[in-house]
Amino acid sequence: GNSVTQMEGPVTLSEEAFLTINCTYTATGYPSLFWYVQYPGEGLQLLLKATKADDKGSNKGFEATYRKETTSFHLEKGSVQVSDSAVYFCALTGDNFNKFYFGSGTKLNVKP
Amino acid sequence: GAVVSQHPSWVICKSGTSVKIECRSLDFQATTMFWYRQFPKQSLMLMATSNEGSKATYEQGVEKDKFLINHASLTLSTLTVTSAHPEDSSFYICSGQGQGLGEQYFGPGTRLTVT
């Protein structure tokens, strides 16, 4: 079956630190992979995505590379800001984008 | 990008009453809409999938008589929580998927508190 596993949080970093949030997946077929961000009291916003192996998704300084050989899609950012504090969800979906499988979410706290 | 709105953003109701949550796609036609539930500090769990004009398909363990979903038009889906109880208190998020759009676009969520 399909599932997503994320590192547990919270992750607390100082401003300008390097961020990695690990995400691994189990899937049948060829899933598309996503990172969503949820700010306090808000819904999910798409941060980035990758639809095939070796694709790199990037947005707002965040990056993630679709690694089929390690079934991973780790989120990275070179220098985090206080405004990046949020909960980050890794997710996958199948060919028809119908059913999303979400990881448990990782809360990021960035301190000034 | 495509925008999905939800109304209300926050609702408090008394135990035993029903509450309706609306989900609208503002700038695209959502042929399929999804309803998720998010418990505090946990991930989103898909409750049901609805296609315009058809009955919703519920995930295993979700009571369809308690969570009534209607998708009457290509821009509106509603979730009615019937005879609400405190354990139904949660954050409910909808998403819409348009024909050919591929990905889902998520609404901002509705926080339901049942007292």
Side-chain angles (χ1 to χ4, degrees):
Chain A
N2 296 329
S3 67
V4 176
T5 303
Q6 289 181 235
M7 63 187 287
E8 287 192 25
V11 173
T12 301
L13 296 173
S14 297
E15 206 164 24
E16 299 184 2
F18 184 86
L19 168 71
T20 300
I21 300 178
N22 290 338
C23 170
T24 57
Y25 67 90
T26 303
T28 54
Y30 302 95
S32 293
L33 302 173
F34 301 77
W35 277 100
Y36 283 86
V37 58
Q38 184 178 36
Y39 297 100
E42 299 183 14
L44 272 66
Q45 299 176 27
L46 177 63
L47 182 59
L48 54 85
K49 66 179 180 181
T51 57
K52 62 182 188 296
D54 299 326
D55 270 1
K56 177 186 282 188
S58 62
N59 185 27
K60 300 180 181 179
F62 290 90
E63 294 183 337
T65 301
Y66 188 147
R67 302 280 188 204
K68 191 170 176 63
E69 64 277 12
T70 54
T71 61
S72 65
F73 193 56
H74 304 322
L75 181 68
E76 296 182 336
K77 186 175 185 181
S79 176
V80 293
Q81 305 300 312
V82 172
S83 57
D84 294 326
S85 298
V87 180
Y88 292 81
F89 291 92
C90 185
L92 70 82
T93 188
D95 293 339
N96 59 3
F97 292 88
N98 266 2
K99 187 161 185 176
F100 270 71
Y101 297 85
F102 286 90
S104 56
T106 302
K107 185 172 184 178
L108 171 65
N109 295 317
V110 180
K111 302 195 170 186
Chain B
V3 179
V4 173
S5 70
Q6 285 185 238
H7 177 80
S9 56
W10 182 47
V11 58
I12 300 176
C13 71
K14 294 193 174 190
S15 189
T17 63
S18 296
V19 61
K20 181 183 286 187
I21 301 169
E22 293 186 348
C23 175
R24 294 183 185 271
S25 57
L26 299 185
D27 53 3
F28 71 102
Q29 292 185 323
T31 50
T32 305
M33 284 187 167
F34 305 82
W35 287 94
Y36 296 83
R37 183 173 179 177
Q38 185 181 24
F39 291 97
K41 301 182 180 180
Q42 295 187 32
S43 187
L44 281 74
M45 300 298 295
L46 179 65
M47 299 174 66
T49 302
S50 73
N51 291 297
E52 185 262 338
S54 303
K55 287 186 178 180
T57 301
Y58 290 80
E59 295 297 303
Q60 193 171 11
V62 178
E63 299 176 61
K64 58 184 177 183
D65 293 332
K66 181 169 187 60
F67 298 100
L68 301 179
I69 291 171
N70 183 275
H71 191 170
S73 78
L74 288 171
T75 59
L76 173 64
S77 176
T78 60
L79 167 68
T80 302
V81 182
T82 62
S83 187
H85 288 97
E87 57 265 31
D88 298 325
S89 298
S90 193
F91 197 53
Y92 292 88
I93 299 176
C94 72
S95 70
Q97 181 185 54
Q99 192 77 27
L101 279 182
E103 63 183 273
Q104 295 180 27
Y105 296 90
F106 289 83
T110 296
R111 184 163 302 285
L112 169 64
T113 301
V114 184
T115 59

